[in-house]
């Protein structure tokens, strides 16, 4: 049964065309519902135009340079809570719903979707599903892919397809919602999405310890990772004034206090404990350097490297060696222990270029399983696949693209392998 939140209003789309990796589309359309999205896509496809879906415009610099860009399709008018059943722990929201608004509704009922990325309040439901971005809490809470139970998507064929539903154990179309997660809008424009939600944690604490060197910070985080403790986030790296290791705990108050005390002992160093409010502010600050830029105003890079979790320490050591070799100064480094993911932001000492970026990516690919250039000045991305080496599933991805978008109307060339 729909809740009282089913008619949440949204703001109209901005009249100013968004900047997408340095390019401005010729026009912006903002359909009012899923049917209009499908009709608009069909019309644009018949006119031979190429479309870029746009949500909160918080990650428009993610992806390869567009092969072509004619129209931006805004989901600004697709916002609002469609259905919410707090007792069943499920919610359905329009793709244009701001995640901050969604979280506020859930918080009123003591519930949440435990996702963290920079500029989260402005990010939209559809954009978060399409980009598959996730933060340090992925260690203990997973990603939106784990919480996605249903989805509606509009296609250039003029149709709207639905998969899954509002039941957590729904089996019909179970894999299809996950198919769209991380597809960067190349298979269709997300119209709405359904999620299972979780109770808000009763208590939260973060323990942070500072260290004089990278080795000390990584050793401390490794000790905690090998312990029986189960933090929802465990990070080590360089942030603000120096090297650190940090663990975040959520749950019952007594359990959280005990875990934090043991974490202080394991981390050593000059450990400091933060209460729930301070903890949330600190993690928001920690994620800020991971913002994805969309212009040439900042000539710095944001790079994500990944390996098996057991090789995370070696990866950090390798990244610092490569940075010295390529004269790349690291201003921020965050290693997600247990996930094997390292986020790096920095600048080239002698000024960057397409050649410098390509050489850096090649060297990083020699030491990491996956390397993605999340943010870079558009001029540096010419001729480069920012997603790194082609995935083993590339043929399958191309087959899906051919099935859902044979004319390559959506985000042409922006995904892995130029899809």
């Amino acid at each position: 049964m729909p809740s009282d939140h089913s008619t949440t209003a949204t703001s109209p789309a901005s009249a100013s065309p968004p900047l997408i990796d340095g390019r401005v589309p010729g026009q912006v359309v903002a359909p009012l519902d899923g049917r209009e999205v499908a009709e608009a896509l069909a019309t644009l496809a018949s006119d031979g135009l190429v479309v870029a879906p746009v949500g909160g415009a918080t990650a428009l610099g993610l992806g390869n340079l567009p092969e072509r860009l004619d129209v931006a399709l805004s989901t600004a008018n697709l916002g609002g809570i469609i259905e919410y059943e707090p007792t069943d722990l499920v919610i359905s929201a329009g793709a244009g719903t701001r995640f901050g608004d969604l979280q506020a509704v859930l918080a009123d009922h003591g519930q949440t979707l435990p996702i963290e990325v920079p500029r989260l309040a402005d990010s939209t439901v559809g954009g978060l599903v399409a980009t598959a971005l996730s933060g340090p809490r992925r260690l203990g809470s997973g990603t939106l892919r784990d919480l996605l139970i249903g989805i509606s998507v509009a296609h250039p064929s003029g149709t709207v397809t639905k998969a899954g539903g509002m039941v957590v154990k729904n089996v019909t179309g179970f894999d299809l919602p996950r198919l769209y997660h991380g597809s960067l809008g190349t298979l269709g424009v997300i119209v709405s999405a359904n999620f299972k939600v979780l109770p808000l944690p009763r208590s939260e604490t973060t323990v942070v310890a500072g260290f004089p060197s990278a080795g000390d910070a990584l050793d401390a985080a490794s000790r905690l990772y090998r312990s029986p403790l189960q933090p929802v986030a465990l990070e080590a790296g360089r942030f603000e004034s120096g090297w650190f290791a940090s663990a975040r705990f959520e749950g019952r108050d007594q359990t959280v206090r005990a875990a934090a005390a043991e974490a202080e002992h394991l981390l050593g160093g000059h450990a400091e404990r933060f209460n729930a409010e301070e903890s949330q502010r600190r993690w928001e600050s920690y994620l800020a350097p991971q913002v994805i830029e969309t212009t040439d105003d900042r000539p710095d890079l944001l790079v994500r490297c990944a390996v098996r979790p057991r090789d995370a320490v070696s990866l950090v050591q390798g990244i610092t060696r490569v940075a010295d070799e390529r004269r790349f100064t690291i201003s921020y480094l965050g290693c997600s222990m247990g996930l094997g993911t390292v986020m790096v932001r920095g600048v080239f000492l002698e000024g960057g270029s397409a050649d410098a970026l390509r050489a850096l990516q090649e060297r990083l690919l020699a030491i990491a399983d996956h390397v993605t250039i999340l943010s870079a000045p558009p001029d540096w991305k010419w001729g480069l696949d920012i997603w790194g080496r082609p995935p083993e599933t590339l043929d399958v991805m191309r087959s899906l693209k051919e099935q859902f978008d044979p004319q390559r109307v959506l985000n042409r060339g922006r995904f892995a392998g130029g899809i």
Side-chain angles (χ1 to χ4, degrees):
M1 182 176 69
S3 75
D4 293 336
H5 302 289
S6 59
T7 57
T8 302
T10 59
S11 301
S14 169
S16 301
L19 188 66
I20 302 175
D21 236 343
R23 297 189 180 187
V24 179
Q27 62 174 304
V28 180
V29 297
L32 297 177
D33 55 34
R35 178 184 56 80
E36 286 195 7
V37 174
E39 291 175 353
L41 287 177
T43 299
L44 295 169
S46 66
D47 292 339
L49 300 178
V50 175
V51 180
V54 175
T58 60
L60 296 183
L62 176 63
N64 295 324
L65 289 178
E67 283 187 23
R68 180 176 152 193
L69 177 59
D70 301 311
V71 181
L73 190 150
S74 170
T75 62
N77 292 320
L78 305 182
I81 307 302
I82 299 170
E83 187 175 352
Y84 180 26
E85 298 290 353
T87 56
D88 294 333
L89 297 175
V90 292
I91 193 167
S92 175
T97 307
R98 302 283 173 170
F99 203 72
D101 296 338
L102 178 63
Q103 290 286 53
V105 171
L106 292 173
D108 286 342
H109 295 271
Q111 297 173 349
T112 187
L113 282 169
I115 303 299
E116 289 178 318
V117 294
R119 302 178 64 187
L120 185 60
D122 295 326
S123 300
T124 60
V125 166
L128 288 170
V129 173
T131 60
L133 295 173
S134 61
R137 284 176 76 176
R138 178 184 172 189
L139 176 65
S141 303
T143 69
L144 278 183
R145 182 179 187 271
D146 304 298
L147 303 171
L148 188 64
I149 58 173
I151 199 166
S152 294
V153 182
H155 302 280
S157 61
T159 60
V160 177
T161 60
K162 297 183 179 181
M166 283 289 283
V167 180
V168 173
K169 293 184 179 180
N170 189 302
V171 176
T172 303
F174 179 75
D175 288 332
L176 279 178
R178 297 184 175 190
L179 179 68
Y180 296 106
H181 183 262
S183 63
L184 205 68
T186 56
L187 300 179
V189 176
I190 297 169
V191 173
S192 65
N194 310 339
F195 305 97
K196 60 179 178 181
V197 300
L198 303 178
L200 278 168
R202 297 185 180 182
S203 180
E204 174 184 333
T205 294
T206 291
V207 177
V208 181
F211 298 93
S213 69
D216 292 333
L218 292 166
D219 287 345
S222 296
R223 285 195 301 272
L224 199 154
Y225 176 58
R226 293 193 299 267
S227 78
L229 297 178
Q230 295 182 322
V232 296
L234 177 59
E235 297 280 306
R238 184 174 182 82
F239 176 57
E240 294 180 341
S241 59
W243 291 95
F244 77 97
S246 181
R248 183 178 190 173
F249 298 95
E250 296 176 347
R252 295 181 179 273
D253 185 61
Q254 184 175 358
T255 303
V256 167
R257 287 201 306 269
E262 180 62 18
E264 288 177 339
H265 172 71
L266 288 170
L267 292 178
H270 300 287
E272 185 176 2
R273 193 184 304 191
F274 297 88
N275 63 29
E277 186 176 342
E278 295 168 337
S279 171
Q280 291 175 18
R281 285 200 302 265
R282 178 170 180 83
W283 286 101
E284 288 174 3
S285 176
Y286 175 67
L287 284 168
Q290 296 185 17
V291 67
I292 294 174
E293 308 293 343
T294 59
T295 71
D296 286 313
D297 294 343
R298 289 181 55 172
D300 57 352
L301 305 177
L302 178 64
V303 184
R304 181 178 63 204
C305 302
V307 291
R308 292 171 297 183
R310 68 186 183 189
D311 297 326
V313 173
S314 297
L315 176 60
V316 173
Q317 295 168 342
I319 288 173
T320 56
R321 287 195 301 270
V322 170
D324 289 341
E325 170 194 317
R326 305 308 308 177
R327 297 185 60 75
F328 180 74
T329 300
I330 296 174
S331 59
Y332 169 92
L333 186 149
C335 174
S336 295
M337 305 295 294
L339 297 175
T341 301
V342 180
M343 303 285 283
V344 179
R345 182 174 285 279
V347 297
F348 289 105
L349 279 175
E350 298 169 355
S353 65
D355 289 341
L357 179 57
R358 182 177 293 102
L360 178 66
Q361 184 190 50
E362 290 175 354
R363 286 291 293 116
L364 291 174
L365 282 169
I367 61 172
D369 296 332
H370 305 283
V371 176
T372 305
I373 310 298
L374 295 175
S375 181
D379 286 348
W380 298 2
K381 294 165 68 171
W382 284 105
L384 184 71
D385 189 337
I386 65 96
W387 304 97
R389 60 173 59 92
E392 294 180 356
T393 57
L394 183 60
D395 288 343
V396 175
M397 294 163 63
R398 284 177 172 156
S399 177
L400 289 169
K401 178 69 171 177
E402 177 64 25
Q403 178 180 349
F404 288 101
D405 182 19
Q407 294 178 253
R408 302 181 70 218
V409 173
L410 293 166
N411 265 348
R412 184 180 296 180
R414 302 215 72 197
F415 203 31
I419 292 176

